[in-house]
Amino acid sequence: MEKDSAIAALGALAQGTRLDVFRLLVRREPTGMAAGDIARQLGVPQNTMSAHLGILARAGLVRFERHSRSIVYRADLDGLRALTLFLVKDCCAGNAELCAPLVAELTPCC
């Protein structure tokens, strides 16, 4: 991931509703959620939610597919992986033992 892409992804997540949307979609993997269901669950007007989802999609954090009349959104786990790796790529100057607690904490969730 390039620096500009990381900045765009972090900027997209630097807003409360978008962070809530992204975390919700990560929990809903692999099925995703329809845009209207996301809006209802988070109590956000649909047009506002549409704007938030567009920002997350342009930042490479969510994907979408049209299913008849609804659009289903999913977290883009490849985008999340790329962002995470960008942030920790040079972790601890190559001292694996210093990064071990971070890796250990992430392991149970996946």
Side-chain angles (χ1 to χ4, degrees):
M1 174 173 273
E2 298 293 323
K3 183 178 177 179
D4 289 343
S5 297
I7 290 169
L10 292 168
L13 294 173
Q15 196 278 341
T17 300
R18 289 192 295 269
L19 182 59
D20 291 344
V21 169
F22 184 72
R23 294 186 73 207
L24 175 63
L25 290 175
V26 168
R27 286 191 303 272
R28 294 297 176 98
E29 273 300 306
T31 57
M33 290 181 74
D37 293 338
I38 297 168
R40 278 187 292 283
Q41 183 153 345
L42 297 178
V44 175
Q46 287 191 12
N47 61 337
T48 303
M49 181 56 65
S50 209
H52 287 308
L53 289 165
I55 291 167
L56 289 167
R58 285 188 295 281
L61 295 170
V62 300
R63 295 182 275 151
F64 58 92
E65 296 176 357
R66 180 169 289 284
H67 291 261
S68 69
R69 291 180 42 194
S70 64
I71 299 175
V72 175
Y73 286 84
R74 294 183 53 211
D76 188 332
L77 297 181
D78 289 334
L80 175 58
R81 180 186 56 77
L83 178 60
T84 303
L85 289 173
F86 176 83
L87 292 172
V88 299
K89 184 173 183 171
D90 300 317
C91 178
C92 306
N95 296 312
E97 68 279 358
L98 295 175
C99 291
L102 172 64
V103 173
E105 193 160 334
L106 289 173
T107 302
C109 73
C110 301

